[in-house]
Each structure stands twice: as C-alpha cells, then as structure tokens.
Amino acid sequence: MNPNEAKIEIEILSKELSYHNHLYYVESNPSISDYDFDVLLKQLQELEDKFPQFADENSPTKRVGGDITKKFDSVVHKFPMLSLSNTYSEDEIRDWVTRITKLEDGDLEFVCELKYDGVAIGIQYINGSLKQAVTRGDGMQGENVTSNVKTIKTIPLRLTGDYPGNFEIRGEIFFPLKNFNRLNEKRRYEGEPEFANPRNTASGTLKMLNSKVVATRGLDCFLYGIYGTDVEAGHYEMVNRVADWGFKTPKPKDRLIEKTKTVEGVMDFITHWDKNRGDLPFEIDGIVIKVNNYLQQEELGFTAKSPRWAIAYKFKTERVDTTLESVVYQVGRTGAVTPVANLKPVQLGGTTVKRASLYNADQIERLNLHLDDQVYVEKGGEIIPKIVGVNIDARSTSAEQIIFIDNCPECDTTLERKEGEVHHYCLNESNCPPQIKGRIEHFISRKALNIDGLGAETVDALFDAKLISNYADLYDLTFDQVVELERMADKSANNLIFGIRDSKDIPFERVLFGLGIRFVGETVAKKLTKGLKNMNALASATFEELIAIDEIGDRIAESILMFFDDEENKLLVQRLKDAGLNFEIVEKEGASNKFEGHSFVVSGVFTSFSRTELKEVIEMNGGKNVSSISAKTDFVVAGDKMGPAKLKKATDLGITILSEDDFIKKLNE
Ligand code: IVH
C-alpha cells in the first residue's frame, strides 16, 4: 500500500469505527459484532503504525488511553463555570417558576432535566475535532484532563453533521452504577478496600495520571449546555440538535428531558423522578429547571454565583435512623482494615439494613461516632448503605466514643497507616489468619490457579485443621488428609486433589497473579511476564529493570522488590517451583535471547514490519524497547521519516544506528 492509499484507508476506517462506536455506546444499538469491531480497529492500528504521519490525535485507536500525565495543566475557562442555586423545597420551586413567568409576561417555556450526580466538564471542539477537556476547578480555572476524557466512549472525538467551527460543550461525567459496582467487586476480589460512592470515584478517576486505567473504568457523560454558538433559539432544541453531531443527550421519550409552560408540568416531572430515580442506571441528586429561550436567559442574567434562569431541586435522599450497636473491623487479604457498623435492623429502600461500611478511621472521626448513637443511614445506587450523620441530641452523656483500633482484631499486631493512605494495615502478613486465608483464596480463584473443588469454606477447614498455612502447602496435601475433613466425601476429596494437580498446567502469568503481590493484578502480571519471561528474572530484577517494563511504575516496582526480598516469600516461591508450577513464559516461534541486555529505540516508518511488530521482535529476542534516546540506549532502529532531532541526538551520543536492513541482518546473525 502506498502512502496515498494508506491515507484514504485510514480515513475510511476511522469514520467507520467512529460510526460503530456511536451506535454501540450512544445509541445502544450496535450493528456489528464486538469481534468485527476489534478486527477493524486492529487494521486501523496497524496502518497507523506503518504510516504514523496519518495517525490523527483523535483517531478511534486513541480510546484505549495510554498517555501518562505527570501533572494536569491549569486552564482558565473562557466562560466561567458557575453553579446552580438549589433548594429542597417544592414551594420554592413553585415560587421561582411563578416569579420568572411574571417577569417574562407569561410567555415562556421551561426545560426540566435530571441533575446528574457526577463531575462537571467543559469540552472544546474546533472544526469538529475534540481539542480540550477541562474540569470545573474553582469555576474560573480547571485542570486539563483531555487524554482521560478521550477514553470516555460516549464523548465523540470527531463530530458528524453540521456543527459550528468552534464551541464548548459542558456536561457531567458520571460513573454508571453497573460499572461502579463491577469495579468494587474487582477491588473486593483483589483484597483492596472498596470505593465509597460513584461520584467521588468518578472525580478521582478523571484525575488519574494514567489514561489507560481511566479507559478501563467505564465512565459516561451527559451533556447539558453549549457555549460560543447559537445555532438554535432554545436549550431544548439545542440538546436535540447536538445529538446529530454525535453527543449523548437525554431523550424526551425516556422522560429524561421535558419542555413545559406550566408549574404543574415542572412539578409532575419532579414527582416522577423522585419516585422512579432508583430505576435509573446512574445516580441523580435532583432536577434542574431551565428557562428554554436563550434571549430570555440573557435578559434574566446571572447573580455572582449562578444563573437566574435556572434552579435545581434537590431530592431528599431516603434516610432512616437506627441504633449503632457495635463497630467491628474486617481484615482483608492485603491487611487493609475496614471498620463496619453493626446496626439495629431497619427497613431502607426495600431491604433490611443491618450493616454499613464505615470505610476508614477518618470517617469514624468525621462522624464522631459513639456507641448506641442514633445514626442516619442512606442508600444510594451502591450495594452498601452508609451512615451519613448522627443525631447528637439523642446521645447520652455517658456514651462511649468509638475510637479506631490500634491493634489488629485478628492477630493483635499494631496497625500502621502509611503516609498518603487512608487505610490502616496489619503488617503481620505471615501470621494473621484472614490475610493467610485471603491469600490462599486469591491463589485458588478462577483468574489465578483456578483450582476446582476448592472454595473459601474448604480453605477455612484446611486451615483450621492445620493442614495448610500458605498456598504452597496445597501441593503437599494428600487424599488421606483431605478425606478426614468434616463433610468431605471421597468424591470431593478426589476432585480437590485432581484440581490441585491440574493447576500445574496454568500459565506463568496466572501463577504470578496468584502470588498476590500487592498491585500486581491480572494485567500487570501479563506485562511482567512479557517483559521478564521467567520467575528467576523477576525475583532478581532491580528497580530500574522493573520500571523499564511497559506500564510498570514506582509503586508496583517497590511492591515486587519487597515481595521477593522477604525470606518466607522466597521459600514459598521455591516450593511452588519444586511442585512443578509454570515458572516461565511459553515462547513463541522465532524467539531467542540474542538481544538480551540491549535496549532499543525504534523510530520512523518501516517496510517489512509495522512499528508494533518490530518492537515485538525485539522483545521476543530478549531486547528491551525504550521510548526515548539516552546515553543508555544501545541501538536506534531508524526507519523512513525519523525526525532529524532524534537522529542528531543518537549520533551525538555515539549510539549505533541500524537501518531496517541492518536490523534484519543482525536478527539473522
Ligand atoms: S446546568 C450555570 N444542568 O450541577 C450552571 N448542571 O450546581 C449550569 N449538573 O456544576 C449548569 N446536572 O456539574 C446543569 N442537567 C444539568 C446538570 C447540572 C448536573 C451539575 C453541574 C453543575 C452543578 C451545579
């Protein structure tokens, strides 16, 4: 394919992918399979690798994230990002509607919308292309979080239809409940403390430095305002119109937006959503009522903080009060300690609530909890209810204050709280029962060693019978030992022993994940195995070697070093090796270690390989890919169109420069 053909093909593929992305995420009505979508995406990625000069910053391939930000730049808002005046009183809403109606001589329409409970964002589009996305910040200036926002699939990177040349659109980024609950489930599974609520987690996610992680979280966005253009006379019409440009907007057919001329119309919308908001797949905290016509909005103007043409009605969240009977502390696999409140059972949102998470010591302090307190409990869309306040008047003077524990409730070790962390940890990894059992449960879980016939209850039983106290002990178990356990029939014992034996075929990356090294999840384990190939290399890797691997940062590297520095862990790993578990990656054909110890920078365009393929060949042969040229670089593989500055730097540093042919020769040497 020549460059001209490639350029056209890239444009066609990009358009097609944007279209299918829109159908899938915005319209929820896909017309091709996920597989077919991935095939197209891969084709585009390969073409862009081969012809990087045509790879657009808003190509559909950019959705997966990848940019790592060191610090978000501050950006001054062209139009200040104000807030809304709000009220919990229906009467105040009636008064507001009546007052505004009088001001405009009765000739006006109101638009009712949901008040999405998320984080405000302002996104600038120039010539139909997403240029910049900025958080609200203090209203005057916010943070440039463009690379994170680009990973949100319902936000178009390029617009369609008849859009204005330069405008800003504002909306709310939120965490759909399904994705939020899935994330917490994963955290539970990995022994990490759970996130408290979707809004704060959406806000935290938007400010993460690694956009790849943001891409995996599944944030979403609704848009509610446009600035810098006036292609329609009213807000309601505008919202409809921007849907043609590719934005996800609230649909009248779902009653997510409604136009009305009367106060009854407004109140009906409020009542409907107060009653039905539990059915929405995301959280809202109220209703926003806006004057529709832009000229009338202008006439009404602003106060110092908020527009006069809009008001928010905030829902009173369903809240019950009950008695705090006790606080217990749960210790997770990683030693993180979570306080949990035991409550006098109470009905809330259709279920009986007996427990509420207190998250951490700060939360207990914030609430200034005392035993037997009358506490207010609320439930959002999340699974776990939370205590939001205390009725101090109902407290007896002799009530005992709840003080976060100093020692582990399971093994009595003094708890520690590291700087910058909100959780307390029990560091007695090797002797604290829930940590030991948690690690074994993680080791046998489906995504790790997937040991059939072994679940949490059996782990408990084996642990209590002193047959296992770590995961390596599993491989010493015999049928005779296991069958002795209570409620263990011959068949189950057999299943268990065979399950353990079969786990010896599980690939290295899953064994590594199973070790339960903090911060080494599934993806990180894959990256590590790819980068270092075997357990020996990993166990002896230096900090520098670790962080040179794709996506491995300081925090992960330190955790790995700490793990392999520990004598007990070393012994465990040795026992797993002796038991015959997979300790190295199964190499693909054509692999060697001829580039071992050498680092490469690949730059420019090649004829026989795409850049990704070339890098894979380097890694397959033991070499290391680095992104920028430094004195430590051994080779620069220079393709067509390599930048002159890079070439000069390589020459100045005396680095060997290989042409594509030189590289192939070296590979075949
Ligand atoms: S309109 C001048 N519409 O609520 C402000 N805001 O307290 C115009 N919000 O910062 C905002 N849903 O983050 C508007 N349908 C909606 C909204 C909405 C949520 C948020 C937004 C804003 C805050 C105001």
Side-chain angles (χ1 to χ4, degrees):
M1 192 179 288
N2 69 35
N4 262 341
E5 289 164 346
K7 185 166 183 243
I8 295 168
E9 187 63 23
I10 285 177
E11 274 167 22
I12 294 173
L13 278 170
S14 298
K15 274 220 173 93
E16 205 172 335
L17 281 158
S18 299
Y19 171 70
H20 288 301
N21 180 74
H22 180 84
L23 285 186
Y24 188 96
Y25 288 101
V26 180
E27 308 283 341
S28 303
N29 185 22
S31 72
I32 60 170
S33 69
D34 292 2
Y35 176 79
D36 289 341
F37 184 90
D38 289 342
V39 169
L40 291 177
L41 192 69
K42 197 158 171 247
Q43 276 174 13
L44 177 61
Q45 183 69 64
E46 279 171 9
L47 273 177
E48 287 180 350
D49 286 348
K50 252 191 192 147
F51 299 92
Q53 67 272 38
F54 305 129
D56 190 273
E57 56 171 10
N58 280 337
S59 156
T61 54
K62 298 294 185 294
R63 290 282 193 201
V64 292
D67 290 359
I68 311 267
T69 312
K70 290 223 169 61
K71 188 177 150 286
F72 297 114
D73 295 331
S74 222
V75 178
V76 176
H77 294 298
K78 203 160 160 197
F79 311 91
M81 266 177 133
L82 303 177
S83 57
L84 291 165
S85 62
N86 62 54
T87 172
Y88 285 93
S89 142
E90 293 198 5
D91 283 345
E92 280 184 30
I93 296 289
R94 283 177 204 277
D95 291 350
W96 179 82
V97 172
T98 318
R99 196 170 64 241
I100 301 280
T101 312
K102 266 195 204 138
L103 272 177
E104 294 292 332
D105 287 336
D107 176 26
L108 91 176
E109 293 174 315
F110 294 99
V111 183
C112 305
E113 282 175 2
L114 306 183
K115 188 169 188 309
Y116 314 105
D117 198 9
V119 208
I121 192 81
I123 313 171
Q124 191 193 17
Y125 285 84
I126 297 181
N127 297 328
S129 198
L130 189 158
K131 267 283 142 341
Q132 181 170 275
V134 182
T135 61
R136 178 170 186 273
D138 63 3
M140 288 306 166
Q141 55 181 39
E143 288 174 312
N144 182 344
V145 290
T146 312
S147 44
N148 286 344
V149 167
K150 279 188 187 175
T151 68
I152 301 174
K153 309 280 199 311
T154 47
I155 297 180
L157 299 178
R158 289 194 195 128
L159 304 181
T160 49
D162 186 17
Y163 47 78
N166 187 348
F167 68 96
E168 182 178 334
I169 193 158
R170 288 186 181 165
E172 196 86 351
I173 289 178
F174 60 91
F175 226 127
L177 290 168
K178 199 166 123 220
N179 296 350
F180 177 73
N181 288 327
R182 188 190 60 197
L183 173 67
N184 263 347
E185 195 185 318
K186 181 165 167 268
R187 307 244 331 154
R188 253 195 314 279
Y189 187 73
E190 291 180 353
E192 295 292 326
E194 291 174 44
F195 291 118
N197 69 61
R199 187 193 347 101
N200 293 354
T201 315
S203 165
T205 301
L206 201 59
K207 290 189 185 157
M208 290 178 89
L209 299 177
N210 185 346
S211 59
K212 255 200 180 133
V213 182
V214 182
T216 64
R217 292 255 170 118
L219 295 176
D220 203 342
C221 180
F222 264 122
L223 295 144
Y224 50 64
I226 190 158
Y227 296 77
T229 178
D230 52 358
V231 294
E232 293 286 355
H235 174 67
Y236 185 85
E237 291 69 27
M238 193 71 200
V239 169
N240 244 333
R241 181 74 181 272
V242 302
D244 299 341
W245 306 341
F247 291 104
K248 170 167 168 157
T249 54
K251 296 283 176 287
K253 72 169 172 42
D254 305 323
R255 272 201 98 173
L256 298 181
I257 184 165
E258 210 157 87
K259 200 158 72 160
T260 173
K261 290 189 170 194
T262 64
V263 75
E264 289 75 29
V266 171
M267 297 327 285
D268 187 51
F269 191 83
I270 289 181
T271 314
H272 173 76
W273 283 115
D274 200 358
K275 202 165 121 217
N276 295 305
R277 70 194 151 112
D279 299 337
L280 286 167
F282 47 83
E283 292 200 320
I284 60 173
D285 58 343
I287 296 297
V288 184
I289 304 121
K290 301 174 180 172
V291 168
N292 189 39
N293 185 287
Y294 286 137
L295 287 177
Q296 287 173 327
Q297 285 191 4
E298 230 171 89
E299 272 168 29
L300 290 161
F302 296 85
T303 68
K305 276 195 268 164
S306 50
R308 286 199 192 85
W309 45 262
I311 190 164
Y313 171 76
K314 298 252 272 184
F315 294 131
K316 294 176 221 68
T317 318
E318 193 190 349
R319 171 186 284 198
V320 286
D321 57 0
T322 185
T323 312
L324 173 68
E325 294 187 327
S326 64
V327 173
V328 291
Y329 297 85
Q330 290 177 342
V331 184
R333 161 167 73 83
T334 54
V337 178
T338 310
V340 177
N342 282 326
L343 306 168
K344 184 162 171 231
V346 63
Q347 282 298 115
L348 174 64
T351 54
T352 310
V353 173
K354 292 185 217 139
R355 285 149 82 78
S357 176
L358 288 166
Y359 304 106
N360 52 49
D362 291 351
Q363 179 72 354
I364 293 185
E365 215 174 291
R366 246 193 313 270
L367 291 166
N368 182 22
L369 283 183
H370 286 60
L371 214 54
D372 291 326
D373 265 349
Q374 282 302 110
V375 291
Y376 302 119
V377 182
E378 280 182 7
K379 201 156 103 179
E382 319 96 81
I383 298 161
I384 327 160
K386 51 182 158 249
I387 295 180
V388 291
V390 178
N391 180 357
I392 297 186
D393 297 339
R395 181 182 292 160
S396 92
T397 45
S398 58
E400 181 190 332
Q401 191 182 357
I402 309 276
I403 309 274
F404 195 86
I405 47 173
D406 292 322
N407 291 49
C408 175
E410 303 278 347
C411 71
D412 207 34
T413 305
T414 309
L415 299 179
E416 309 225 3
R417 178 178 175 171
K418 281 195 220 117
E419 223 183 280
E421 297 218 13
V422 291
H423 282 88
H424 283 76
Y425 283 86
C426 165
L427 300 184
N428 181 17
E429 279 171 32
S430 36
N431 293 308
C432 180
Q435 294 191 58
I436 298 171
K437 287 192 269 186
R439 278 197 302 273
I440 300 174
E441 278 163 27
H442 171 75
F443 183 82
I444 63 173
S445 64
R446 197 170 45 83
K447 288 182 175 168
L449 277 289
N450 191 22
I451 300 188
D452 255 0
L454 189 54
E457 266 177 45
T458 317
V459 169
D460 268 358
L462 289 166
F463 179 81
D464 291 344
K466 299 205 164 38
L467 289 174
I468 56 171
S469 62
N470 56 56
Y471 39 64
D473 288 343
L474 290 170
Y475 295 91
D476 295 337
L477 286 176
T478 63
F479 176 85
D480 293 343
Q481 286 175 325
V482 175
V483 83
E484 285 292 302
L485 292 178
E486 222 176 295
R487 276 180 295 158
M488 180 67 80
D490 280 13
K491 191 163 172 241
S492 322
N494 249 327
N495 272 350
L496 175 53
I497 297 295
F498 282 125
I500 293 173
R501 193 197 58 189
D502 289 348
S503 73
K504 296 180 186 176
D505 295 330
I506 295 288
F508 174 43
E509 70 227 34
R510 282 171 54 188
V511 175
L512 177 57
F513 171 59
L515 296 184
I517 305 173
R518 203 164 171 219
F519 308 127
V520 179
E522 254 183 299
T523 322
V524 171
K526 276 191 196 136
K527 297 276 170 196
L528 287 168
T529 23
K530 208 165 161 220
L532 288 167
K533 315 286 184 228
N534 62 56
M535 192 73 89
N536 264 352
L538 182 71
S540 57
T542 61
F543 181 79
E544 283 69 28
E545 280 167 334
L546 288 168
I547 58 168
I549 300 170
D550 188 23
E551 279 182 48
I552 308 300
D554 296 8
R555 195 179 67 144
I556 302 174
E558 271 158 20
S559 169
I560 295 167
L561 287 177
M562 219 165 87
F563 182 89
F564 287 106
D565 208 31
D566 183 292
E567 289 304 322
E568 277 181 51
N569 288 338
K570 277 189 206 159
L571 194 68
L572 280 182
V573 172
Q574 183 59 44
R575 285 178 59 202
L576 293 181
K577 186 176 185 197
D578 296 342
L581 270 72
N582 277 318
F583 265 34
E584 60 188 7
I585 194 167
V586 181
E587 290 288 3
K588 288 187 208 141
E589 218 179 307
S592 81
N593 56 3
K594 65 174 58 141
F595 295 157
E596 184 106 47
H598 293 311
S599 66
F600 290 74
V601 170
V602 175
S603 183
V605 185
F606 302 89
T607 32
S608 328
F609 309 91
S610 74
R611 254 212 313 261
T612 316
E613 282 165 358
L614 193 79
K615 287 185 181 171
E616 267 173 20
V617 171
I618 292 173
E619 274 180 22
M620 252 167 65
N621 290 282
K624 199 160 56 182
N625 289 297
V626 287
S627 53
S628 60
I629 298 171
S630 75
K632 287 195 208 133
T633 312
D634 296 302
F635 299 102
V636 170
V637 192
D640 250 8
K641 301 205 171 63
M642 172 173 166
K646 266 193 182 166
L647 207 57
K648 181 168 184 305
K649 188 166 181 192
T651 322
D652 289 351
L653 288 169
I655 296 165
T656 312
I657 297 170
L658 303 172
S659 68
E660 186 170 354
D661 284 346
D662 296 338
F663 176 79
I664 295 171
K665 253 187 235 143
K666 201 170 165 55
L667 186 66
N668 295 327
E669 254 166 28

